[in-house]
PDB file of all heavy atoms in Angstrom:
ATOM      1  N   PRO A  53     -14.074   6.062   6.503  1.00  0.00           N
ATOM      2  CA  PRO A  53     -12.929   6.800   5.907  1.00  0.00           C
ATOM      3  C   PRO A  53     -11.693   5.976   5.570  1.00  0.00           C
ATOM      4  O   PRO A  53     -11.335   5.016   6.510  1.00  0.00           O
ATOM      5  CB  PRO A  53     -12.669   7.829   6.918  1.00  0.00           C
ATOM      6  CG  PRO A  53     -13.876   7.966   7.735  1.00  0.00           C
ATOM      7  CD  PRO A  53     -14.525   6.604   7.715  1.00  0.00           C
ATOM      8  N   ILE A  54     -11.167   6.156   4.396  1.00  0.00           N
ATOM      9  CA  ILE A  54      -9.956   5.407   3.946  1.00  0.00           C
ATOM     10  C   ILE A  54      -8.914   6.466   3.565  1.00  0.00           C
ATOM     11  O   ILE A  54      -9.247   7.413   2.779  1.00  0.00           O
ATOM     12  CB  ILE A  54     -10.288   4.419   2.826  1.00  0.00           C
ATOM     13  CG1 ILE A  54      -8.981   3.729   2.297  1.00  0.00           C
ATOM     14  CG2 ILE A  54     -10.951   5.125   1.612  1.00  0.00           C
ATOM     15  CD1 ILE A  54      -9.356   2.572   1.314  1.00  0.00           C
ATOM     16  N   ILE A  55      -7.783   6.397   4.203  1.00  0.00           N
ATOM     17  CA  ILE A  55      -6.777   7.455   4.059  1.00  0.00           C
ATOM     18  C   ILE A  55      -5.852   7.172   2.907  1.00  0.00           C
ATOM     19  O   ILE A  55      -4.664   6.789   3.076  1.00  0.00           O
ATOM     20  CB  ILE A  55      -6.024   7.814   5.316  1.00  0.00           C
ATOM     21  CG1 ILE A  55      -7.096   8.022   6.495  1.00  0.00           C
ATOM     22  CG2 ILE A  55      -5.097   9.024   5.285  1.00  0.00           C
ATOM     23  CD1 ILE A  55      -6.498   8.112   7.822  1.00  0.00           C
ATOM     24  N   GLN A  56      -6.425   6.962   1.694  1.00  0.00           N
ATOM     25  CA  GLN A  56      -5.593   6.684   0.488  1.00  0.00           C
ATOM     26  C   GLN A  56      -6.229   7.525  -0.646  1.00  0.00           C
ATOM     27  O   GLN A  56      -7.356   8.003  -0.459  1.00  0.00           O
ATOM     28  CB  GLN A  56      -5.826   5.242   0.201  1.00  0.00           C
ATOM     29  CG  GLN A  56      -5.041   4.273   1.176  1.00  0.00           C
ATOM     30  CD  GLN A  56      -5.207   2.902   0.813  1.00  0.00           C
ATOM     31  OE1 GLN A  56      -5.506   2.473  -0.326  1.00  0.00           O
ATOM     32  NE2 GLN A  56      -5.050   2.011   1.820  1.00  0.00           N
ATOM     33  N   GLU A  78      -2.056  -5.194   6.844  1.00  0.00           N
ATOM     34  CA  GLU A  78      -1.806  -3.753   6.692  1.00  0.00           C
ATOM     35  C   GLU A  78      -1.296  -3.234   8.014  1.00  0.00           C
ATOM     36  O   GLU A  78      -1.935  -3.405   9.145  1.00  0.00           O
ATOM     37  CB  GLU A  78      -3.080  -2.929   6.370  1.00  0.00           C
ATOM     38  CG  GLU A  78      -2.745  -1.487   6.249  1.00  0.00           C
ATOM     39  CD  GLU A  78      -3.907  -0.685   5.590  1.00  0.00           C
ATOM     40  OE1 GLU A  78      -4.935  -0.611   6.210  1.00  0.00           O
ATOM     41  OE2 GLU A  78      -3.732  -0.187   4.519  1.00  0.00           O
ATOM     42  N   THR A  79      -0.178  -2.576   8.002  1.00  0.00           N
ATOM     43  CA  THR A  79       0.320  -1.915   9.270  1.00  0.00           C
ATOM     44  C   THR A  79      -0.214  -0.521   9.201  1.00  0.00           C
ATOM     45  O   THR A  79       0.013   0.223   8.208  1.00  0.00           O
ATOM     46  CB  THR A  79       1.906  -1.936   9.366  1.00  0.00           C
ATOM     47  OG1 THR A  79       2.474  -1.151   8.370  1.00  0.00           O
ATOM     48  CG2 THR A  79       2.376  -3.401   9.226  1.00  0.00           C
ATOM     49  N   GLY A  80      -0.915  -0.060  10.288  1.00  0.00           N
ATOM     50  CA  GLY A  80      -1.463   1.264  10.302  1.00  0.00           C
ATOM     51  C   GLY A  80      -2.978   1.115   9.743  1.00  0.00           C
ATOM     52  O   GLY A  80      -3.197   1.021   8.518  1.00  0.00           O
ATOM     53  N   VAL A  81      -3.961   1.153  10.682  1.00  0.00           N
ATOM     54  CA  VAL A  81      -5.384   0.887  10.273  1.00  0.00           C
ATOM     55  C   VAL A  81      -6.083   2.227  10.349  1.00  0.00           C
ATOM     56  O   VAL A  81      -7.008   2.381   9.507  1.00  0.00           O
ATOM     57  CB  VAL A  81      -5.980  -0.081  11.293  1.00  0.00           C
ATOM     58  CG1 VAL A  81      -7.522  -0.263  11.092  1.00  0.00           C
ATOM     59  CG2 VAL A  81      -5.294  -1.429  11.204  1.00  0.00           C
ATOM     60  N   ALA A  82      -5.784   3.064  11.244  1.00  0.00           N
ATOM     61  CA  ALA A  82      -6.524   4.336  11.446  1.00  0.00           C
ATOM     62  C   ALA A  82      -8.014   4.195  11.606  1.00  0.00           C
ATOM     63  O   ALA A  82      -8.399   3.642  12.567  1.00  0.00           O
ATOM     64  CB  ALA A  82      -6.107   5.328  10.311  1.00  0.00           C
ATOM     65  N   ARG A  83      -8.782   4.750  10.683  1.00  0.00           N
ATOM     66  CA  ARG A  83     -10.253   4.719  10.735  1.00  0.00           C
ATOM     67  C   ARG A  83     -10.883   3.409  10.216  1.00  0.00           C
ATOM     68  O   ARG A  83     -12.056   3.259  10.386  1.00  0.00           O
ATOM     69  CB  ARG A  83     -10.785   5.956  10.038  1.00  0.00           C
ATOM     70  CG  ARG A  83     -10.459   7.283  10.887  1.00  0.00           C
ATOM     71  CD  ARG A  83     -10.922   8.508  10.283  1.00  0.00           C
ATOM     72  NE  ARG A  83     -10.467   9.551  11.085  1.00  0.00           N
ATOM     73  CZ  ARG A  83     -11.051  10.071  12.140  1.00  0.00           C
ATOM     74  NH1 ARG A  83     -12.307   9.549  12.456  1.00  0.00           N
ATOM     75  NH2 ARG A  83     -10.556  11.001  12.845  1.00  0.00           N
ATOM     76  N   GLY A  84     -10.051   2.595   9.504  1.00  0.00           N
ATOM     77  CA  GLY A  84     -10.584   1.401   9.191  1.00  0.00           C
ATOM     78  C   GLY A  84     -11.069   1.089   7.758  1.00  0.00           C
ATOM     79  O   GLY A  84     -11.349   0.032   7.306  1.00  0.00           O
ATOM     80  N   GLY A  85     -11.196   2.193   6.917  1.00  0.00           N
ATOM     81  CA  GLY A  85     -11.728   2.069   5.605  1.00  0.00           C
ATOM     82  C   GLY A  85     -10.952   1.113   4.751  1.00  0.00           C
ATOM     83  O   GLY A  85     -11.470   0.417   3.892  1.00  0.00           O
ATOM     84  N   SER A  86      -9.601   1.167   5.023  1.00  0.00           N
ATOM     85  CA  SER A  86      -8.734   0.281   4.112  1.00  0.00           C
ATOM     86  C   SER A  86      -8.901  -1.222   4.522  1.00  0.00           C
ATOM     87  O   SER A  86      -9.091  -1.980   3.553  1.00  0.00           O
ATOM     88  CB  SER A  86      -7.291   0.641   4.319  1.00  0.00           C
ATOM     89  OG  SER A  86      -6.953   0.791   5.658  1.00  0.00           O
ATOM     90  N   TYR A  90     -10.156  -4.035   1.683  1.00  0.00           N
ATOM     91  CA  TYR A  90      -9.509  -5.213   1.367  1.00  0.00           C
ATOM     92  C   TYR A  90     -10.439  -6.475   1.530  1.00  0.00           C
ATOM     93  O   TYR A  90     -10.554  -7.343   0.721  1.00  0.00           O
ATOM     94  CB  TYR A  90      -8.134  -5.556   2.231  1.00  0.00           C
ATOM     95  CG  TYR A  90      -7.230  -4.356   2.109  1.00  0.00           C
ATOM     96  CD1 TYR A  90      -6.719  -3.791   3.341  1.00  0.00           C
ATOM     97  CD2 TYR A  90      -6.861  -3.768   1.019  1.00  0.00           C
ATOM     98  CE1 TYR A  90      -5.882  -2.724   3.336  1.00  0.00           C
ATOM     99  CE2 TYR A  90      -6.015  -2.641   0.932  1.00  0.00           C
ATOM    100  CZ  TYR A  90      -5.575  -2.147   2.233  1.00  0.00           C
ATOM    101  OH  TYR A  90      -4.643  -1.085   2.212  1.00  0.00           O
ATOM    102  N   ILE A 106      -2.687  -4.007  12.006  1.00  0.00           N
ATOM    103  CA  ILE A 106      -1.908  -3.768  13.155  1.00  0.00           C
ATOM    104  C   ILE A 106      -1.860  -2.277  13.404  1.00  0.00           C
ATOM    105  O   ILE A 106      -1.469  -1.533  12.458  1.00  0.00           O
ATOM    106  CB  ILE A 106      -0.474  -4.327  13.038  1.00  0.00           C
ATOM    107  CG1 ILE A 106      -0.530  -5.775  12.568  1.00  0.00           C
ATOM    108  CG2 ILE A 106       0.256  -4.238  14.382  1.00  0.00           C
ATOM    109  CD1 ILE A 106       0.352  -5.929  11.336  1.00  0.00           C
ATOM    110  N   ASP A 107      -2.340  -1.835  14.551  1.00  0.00           N
ATOM    111  CA  ASP A 107      -2.218  -0.462  14.923  1.00  0.00           C
ATOM    112  C   ASP A 107      -1.929  -0.184  16.350  1.00  0.00           C
ATOM    113  O   ASP A 107      -2.386  -0.921  17.215  1.00  0.00           O
ATOM    114  CB  ASP A 107      -3.625   0.213  14.577  1.00  0.00           C
ATOM    115  CG  ASP A 107      -3.394   1.801  14.303  1.00  0.00           C
ATOM    116  OD1 ASP A 107      -2.949   2.460  15.257  1.00  0.00           O
ATOM    117  OD2 ASP A 107      -3.661   2.190  13.166  1.00  0.00           O
ATOM    118  N   ILE A 108      -1.076   0.797  16.601  1.00  0.00           N
ATOM    119  CA  ILE A 108      -0.604   1.006  17.930  1.00  0.00           C
ATOM    120  C   ILE A 108      -1.569   1.948  18.711  1.00  0.00           C
ATOM    121  O   ILE A 108      -1.557   1.999  19.902  1.00  0.00           O
ATOM    122  CB  ILE A 108       0.847   1.758  17.841  1.00  0.00           C
ATOM    123  CG1 ILE A 108       1.671   1.582  19.128  1.00  0.00           C
ATOM    124  CG2 ILE A 108       0.703   3.173  17.429  1.00  0.00           C
ATOM    125  CD1 ILE A 108       3.140   1.856  18.958  1.00  0.00           C
ATOM    126  N   ASP A 109      -2.555   2.528  17.945  1.00  0.00           N
ATOM    127  CA  ASP A 109      -3.425   3.434  18.556  1.00  0.00           C
ATOM    128  C   ASP A 109      -4.704   3.406  17.936  1.00  0.00           C
ATOM    129  O   ASP A 109      -5.194   4.514  17.297  1.00  0.00           O
ATOM    130  CB  ASP A 109      -2.758   4.837  18.489  1.00  0.00           C
ATOM    131  CG  ASP A 109      -3.653   5.936  19.221  1.00  0.00           C
ATOM    132  OD1 ASP A 109      -4.367   5.553  20.123  1.00  0.00           O
ATOM    133  OD2 ASP A 109      -3.489   7.187  18.934  1.00  0.00           O
ATOM    134  N   GLY A 132      -0.860  -2.839  18.819  1.00  0.00           N
ATOM    135  CA  GLY A 132       0.498  -2.748  19.313  1.00  0.00           C
ATOM    136  C   GLY A 132       1.347  -2.256  18.081  1.00  0.00           C
ATOM    137  O   GLY A 132       0.799  -1.838  17.025  1.00  0.00           O
ATOM    138  N   SER A 133       2.689  -2.322  18.320  1.00  0.00           N
ATOM    139  CA  SER A 133       3.550  -1.870  17.203  1.00  0.00           C
ATOM    140  C   SER A 133       3.696  -2.909  16.171  1.00  0.00           C
ATOM    141  O   SER A 133       3.773  -4.119  16.529  1.00  0.00           O
ATOM    142  CB  SER A 133       4.923  -1.394  17.762  1.00  0.00           C
ATOM    143  OG  SER A 133       5.770  -1.064  16.686  1.00  0.00           O
ATOM    144  N   SER A 134       3.729  -2.516  14.917  1.00  0.00           N
ATOM    145  CA  SER A 134       3.905  -3.443  13.780  1.00  0.00           C
ATOM    146  C   SER A 134       5.315  -4.199  13.887  1.00  0.00           C
ATOM    147  O   SER A 134       5.503  -5.163  13.290  1.00  0.00           O
ATOM    148  CB  SER A 134       3.738  -2.761  12.430  1.00  0.00           C
ATOM    149  OG  SER A 134       4.652  -1.625  12.418  1.00  0.00           O
ATOM    150  N   ASP A 157       1.778   1.100   6.185  1.00  0.00           N
ATOM    151  CA  ASP A 157       1.201   2.448   6.304  1.00  0.00           C
ATOM    152  C   ASP A 157       1.090   2.881   7.760  1.00  0.00           C
ATOM    153  O   ASP A 157       0.032   3.342   8.160  1.00  0.00           O
ATOM    154  CB  ASP A 157      -0.186   2.387   5.513  1.00  0.00           C
ATOM    155  CG  ASP A 157      -0.640   3.892   5.286  1.00  0.00           C
ATOM    156  OD1 ASP A 157       0.159   4.816   5.364  1.00  0.00           O
ATOM    157  OD2 ASP A 157      -1.807   4.084   5.098  1.00  0.00           O
ATOM    158  N   SER A 158       2.219   2.675   8.501  1.00  0.00           N
ATOM    159  CA  SER A 158       2.053   3.029   9.954  1.00  0.00           C
ATOM    160  C   SER A 158       3.026   4.228  10.235  1.00  0.00           C
ATOM    161  O   SER A 158       2.827   5.325   9.779  1.00  0.00           O
ATOM    162  CB  SER A 158       2.335   1.834  10.849  1.00  0.00           C
ATOM    163  OG  SER A 158       3.664   1.338  10.653  1.00  0.00           O
ATOM    164  N   ASP A 159       4.107   3.939  11.028  1.00  0.00           N
ATOM    165  CA  ASP A 159       5.050   5.038  11.359  1.00  0.00           C
ATOM    166  C   ASP A 159       5.943   5.123  10.103  1.00  0.00           C
ATOM    167  O   ASP A 159       6.430   4.232   9.609  1.00  0.00           O
ATOM    168  CB  ASP A 159       5.809   4.478  12.592  1.00  0.00           C
ATOM    169  CG  ASP A 159       7.130   5.339  12.844  1.00  0.00           C
ATOM    170  OD1 ASP A 159       7.536   6.110  12.018  1.00  0.00           O
ATOM    171  OD2 ASP A 159       7.534   5.176  14.036  1.00  0.00           O
ATOM    172  N   HIS A 160       6.065   6.359   9.580  1.00  0.00           N
ATOM    173  CA  HIS A 160       6.820   6.561   8.305  1.00  0.00           C
ATOM    174  C   HIS A 160       8.250   6.946   8.436  1.00  0.00           C
ATOM    175  O   HIS A 160       8.836   7.384   7.409  1.00  0.00           O
ATOM    176  CB  HIS A 160       6.048   7.672   7.507  1.00  0.00           C
ATOM    177  CG  HIS A 160       4.679   7.219   6.999  1.00  0.00           C
ATOM    178  ND1 HIS A 160       4.409   5.990   6.569  1.00  0.00           N
ATOM    179  CD2 HIS A 160       3.411   7.905   6.961  1.00  0.00           C
ATOM    180  CE1 HIS A 160       3.105   5.860   6.272  1.00  0.00           C
ATOM    181  NE2 HIS A 160       2.541   7.065   6.510  1.00  0.00           N
ATOM    182  N   HIS A 164      11.755   2.626  11.098  1.00  0.00           N
ATOM    183  CA  HIS A 164      10.523   1.831  11.261  1.00  0.00           C
ATOM    184  C   HIS A 164      10.074   1.073   9.968  1.00  0.00           C
ATOM    185  O   HIS A 164       9.916  -0.128  10.022  1.00  0.00           O
ATOM    186  CB  HIS A 164       9.332   2.723  11.824  1.00  0.00           C
ATOM    187  CG  HIS A 164       8.129   1.880  12.199  1.00  0.00           C
ATOM    188  ND1 HIS A 164       8.088   1.247  13.427  1.00  0.00           N
ATOM    189  CD2 HIS A 164       7.101   1.493  11.525  1.00  0.00           C
ATOM    190  CE1 HIS A 164       6.996   0.543  13.489  1.00  0.00           C
ATOM    191  NE2 HIS A 164       6.345   0.654  12.356  1.00  0.00           N
TER     192      HIS A 164
HETATM  193  C1  SAM B   1      -1.797   6.848   7.781  1.00  0.00           C
HETATM  194  S1  SAM B   1      -2.586   6.090   9.037  1.00  0.00           S
HETATM  195  C2  SAM B   1      -3.162   4.518   8.250  1.00  0.00           C
HETATM  196  C3  SAM B   1      -4.179   4.820   7.291  1.00  0.00           C
HETATM  197  C4  SAM B   1      -4.864   3.506   6.793  1.00  0.00           C
HETATM  198  N1  SAM B   1      -3.801   2.607   6.256  1.00  0.00           N
HETATM  199  C5  SAM B   1      -5.771   3.748   5.622  1.00  0.00           C
HETATM  200  O1  SAM B   1      -5.483   3.448   4.495  1.00  0.00           O
HETATM  201  O2  SAM B   1      -6.896   4.321   5.848  1.00  0.00           O
HETATM  202  C6  SAM B   1      -1.368   5.522  10.101  1.00  0.00           C
HETATM  203  C7  SAM B   1      -1.755   4.710  11.365  1.00  0.00           C
HETATM  204  O3  SAM B   1      -0.565   4.041  11.749  1.00  0.00           O
HETATM  205  C8  SAM B   1      -0.571   3.961  13.208  1.00  0.00           C
HETATM  206  N2  SAM B   1       0.771   3.685  13.662  1.00  0.00           N
HETATM  207  C9  SAM B   1       1.702   4.608  13.995  1.00  0.00           C
HETATM  208  N3  SAM B   1       2.805   4.045  14.420  1.00  0.00           N
HETATM  209  C10 SAM B   1       2.563   2.665  14.442  1.00  0.00           C
HETATM  210  C11 SAM B   1       3.347   1.599  14.746  1.00  0.00           C
HETATM  211  N4  SAM B   1       4.608   1.629  15.292  1.00  0.00           N
HETATM  212  N5  SAM B   1       2.677   0.325  14.689  1.00  0.00           N
HETATM  213  C12 SAM B   1       1.461   0.215  14.243  1.00  0.00           C
HETATM  214  N6  SAM B   1       0.735   1.248  13.960  1.00  0.00           N
HETATM  215  C13 SAM B   1       1.247   2.497  14.006  1.00  0.00           C
HETATM  216  C14 SAM B   1      -1.297   5.095  13.671  1.00  0.00           C
HETATM  217  O4  SAM B   1      -1.904   4.899  14.942  1.00  0.00           O
HETATM  218  C15 SAM B   1      -2.311   5.396  12.606  1.00  0.00           C
HETATM  219  O5  SAM B   1      -3.548   4.866  12.870  1.00  0.00           O
END
Side-chain angles (χ1 to χ4, degrees):
I54 178 167
I55 308 170
Q56 291 180 19
E78 182 170 67
T79 69
V81 173
R83 291 177 182 271
S86 51
Y90 309 129
I106 310 125
D107 203 296
I108 204 164
D109 183 22
S133 175
S134 52
D157 194 16
S158 65
D159 172 341
H160 293 319
H164 187 84

